[in-house]
Amino acid sequence: MTAEQWRAALVQLGVPEYRVDPWAPVFADNMPRMGRRARAHFVAQVLHESGGLGRLVENLNYSAERLCAVWPKRFPNPDRARPYARNPEGLANYVYAGRMGNTEPGDGWRYIGRGLIQITGRSNYELIAELTGMDVVTTPDLLTEPNAALLSALAWWGESLPEADDMSVEQVTRVVNGGLNGLDERKRLFERAMRVLEDA
């Protein structure tokens, strides 16, 4: 697909026109050949994860009540959550400590979700560095640049979802999200991507 075809497709998929221009050539230059369903899955998932290409860094600015809903085991009541409410760095260092390869103090915040598919945790940043040659371990904010954001998502996808062409939206979402958050929106985007990308 050309940059102009990607531009039209992304607009049809709900990405605001003002946001499409920097992304269309990045997709045109970097998207590999994929099966029809795998490509629709990929596009649907990255659009959902990035809020339509508008959010490349995880938002951890939660109220105490929302923390209880998102992490009920860690925050069984608002009193337990209050020290981390509206405290993204403290929250990341608490909920991500000792997980996903995070071993050093501050790793939770240093390796919060970034990029189109929200690469999270030191081990995933190390994987992306190995697969792409980009030094995202030392410079995590590289993943907020369009080219690196897409390349990292594609690299992670190739390692994590090589059979995506034969998977359901639910199966793909569990791998991407670790659960089924936003499943209805992901399904809607997948069905639309199947039509829009086929037309292109």
Side-chain angles (χ1 to χ4, degrees):
M1 288 171 61
T2 66
E4 195 50 44
Q5 286 174 315
W6 272 108
R7 187 182 193 289
L10 291 170
V11 168
Q12 289 180 64
L13 287 163
V15 179
E17 289 195 36
Y18 72 86
R19 203 180 286 157
V20 165
D21 288 337
W23 287 100
V26 171
F27 275 86
D29 291 345
N30 295 296
M31 279 296 289
R33 295 183 70 82
M34 288 182 173
R36 180 174 176 239
R37 287 177 57 82
R39 183 171 64 165
H41 277 307
F42 177 81
V43 171
Q45 293 289 336
V46 298
L47 289 182
H48 179 82
E49 290 290 314
S50 68
L53 306 179
R55 183 179 61 245
L56 298 179
V57 180
E58 181 178 14
N59 178 9
L60 292 174
N61 190 21
Y62 293 117
S63 68
E65 292 72 23
R66 183 68 181 142
L67 285 172
C68 294
V70 174
W71 284 288
K73 290 182 180 174
R74 291 180 182 271
F75 304 112
N77 58 65
D79 285 341
R80 181 72 183 90
R82 261 186 209 100
Y84 302 99
R86 309 295 179 208
N87 177 5
E89 184 171 354
L91 175 63
N93 285 327
Y94 173 62
V95 297
Y96 294 150
R99 302 173 51 213
M100 300 175 288
N102 293 333
T103 56
E104 301 295 323
D107 274 358
W109 177 244
R110 189 173 299 114
Y111 301 113
I112 60 171
R114 288 185 182 86
L116 285 179
I117 210 152
Q118 297 292 293
I119 302 299
T120 308
R122 179 186 281 271
S123 59
N124 279 317
Y125 278 72
E126 290 172 344
L127 173 65
I128 295 306
E130 179 184 331
L131 294 173
T132 66
M134 297 184 294
D135 190 8
V136 298
V137 176
T138 303
T139 314
D141 280 337
L142 279 176
L143 293 181
T144 64
E145 299 171 6
N147 201 62
L150 180 59
L151 288 175
S152 64
L154 287 167
W156 181 88
W157 188 272
E159 285 290 303
S160 304
L161 287 157
E163 307 298 327
D165 221 33
D166 300 317
M167 296 171 72
S168 69
V169 177
E170 289 90 340
Q171 290 170 318
V172 170
T173 298
R174 284 190 189 280
V175 176
V176 171
N177 176 257
L180 294 174
N181 293 332
L183 181 61
D184 289 343
E185 172 71 2
R186 294 173 202 262
K187 285 181 175 178
R188 186 187 66 74
L189 283 167
F190 171 76
E191 293 300 332
R192 187 180 290 182
M194 285 287 283
R195 294 190 303 273
V196 167
L197 298 176
E198 183 70 5
D199 291 344

